[in-house]
């Protein structure tokens, strides 16, 4: 899937193994996993059932609220101000690369959806890069939960 402006990002299916930290170590996401009884093996086993969907800058995808997506620019600015230097630096490197090359191929951010609730599992910097350049990013929307 392509998002376009004067610059472009091609969104590809992400590698779930590369995102494992989000499940095992991200403190703000643990409650979602517990509430929905989601295990790592379940995410891996069901990963191919996901699909790329457009995710305009909003707090919902397909009418379902997405936790931790910080979709407004003000939320993003506050989040970035609190972020560690390495987090900001990695965003800057992606941005510089996009500006220099004019195009990037990135793994799509992942959103887990459990019924009428969803969670931005990974890829916030990638989302913000697209949103901040006026693009509509694509995410890997993954049905999860029992």
């Amino acid at each position: 899937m392509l998002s376009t402006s004067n610059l472009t990002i091609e969104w590809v299916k992400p590698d779930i193994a590369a995102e494992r930290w989000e499940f095992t170590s991200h403190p703000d996401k643990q409650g979602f996993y517990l509430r929905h009884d989601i295990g790592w093996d379940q995410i891996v086993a069901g990963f191919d059932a996901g699909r790329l969907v457009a995710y305009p800058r909003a707090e919902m995808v397909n009418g379902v609220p997405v936790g931790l997506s910080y979709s407004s620019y003000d939320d993003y600015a506050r989040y970035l101000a609190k972020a560690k230097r390495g987090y900001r630096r990695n965003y800057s490197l992606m941005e510089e690369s996009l500006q220099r090359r004019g195009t990037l191929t990135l793994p799509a951010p992942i959103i887990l959806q459990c019924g009428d609730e969803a969670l931005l599992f990974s890829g916030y910097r990638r989302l913000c890069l697209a949103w901040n350049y006026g693009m509509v990013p694509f995410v890997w929307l993954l049905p999860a939960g029992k």
Side-chain angles (χ1 to χ4, degrees):
M1 297 284 169
L2 288 178
S3 297
T4 58
S5 70
N6 290 335
L7 305 170
T8 60
I9 297 175
E10 179 182 3
W11 300 98
V12 297
K13 180 182 175 184
D15 174 7
I16 191 60
E19 307 289 354
R20 186 176 179 124
W21 182 91
E22 301 291 342
F23 182 81
T24 60
S25 302
H26 196 295
D28 295 337
K29 298 177 182 176
Q30 300 307 309
F32 185 88
Y33 308 139
L34 290 171
R35 215 171 32 256
H36 295 285
D37 195 23
I38 298 172
W40 178 249
D41 291 340
Q42 179 185 0
I43 290 172
V44 171
F47 197 70
D48 288 338
R51 59 191 168 88
L52 286 172
V53 299
Y55 185 40
R57 187 172 224 150
E59 63 255 352
M60 296 187 143
V61 64
N62 293 341
V64 175
V66 180
L68 301 180
S69 69
Y70 307 110
S71 60
S72 77
Y73 187 80
D74 289 341
D75 287 341
Y76 159 75
R78 277 191 296 278
Y79 185 87
L80 200 57
K82 293 179 187 177
K84 294 179 182 176
R85 184 180 181 279
Y87 190 94
R88 292 188 305 266
R89 181 69 183 138
N90 286 341
Y91 177 89
S92 295
L93 291 172
M94 267 194 317
E95 185 175 44
E96 290 165 9
S97 184
L98 177 62
Q99 290 174 355
R100 186 176 54 256
R101 295 183 199 164
T103 188
L104 286 178
T105 299
L106 295 174
I110 301 168
I111 293 179
L112 300 180
Q113 183 177 349
C114 294
D116 59 358
E117 184 181 17
L119 173 76
L120 178 60
F121 178 78
S122 68
Y124 185 59
R125 280 179 284 215
R126 290 169 271 167
L127 272 181
C128 289
L129 181 66
W131 284 339
N132 292 340
Y133 278 84
M135 299 178 198
V136 175
F138 283 77
V139 297
W140 189 255
L141 185 60
L142 179 62
K146 295 184 176 179

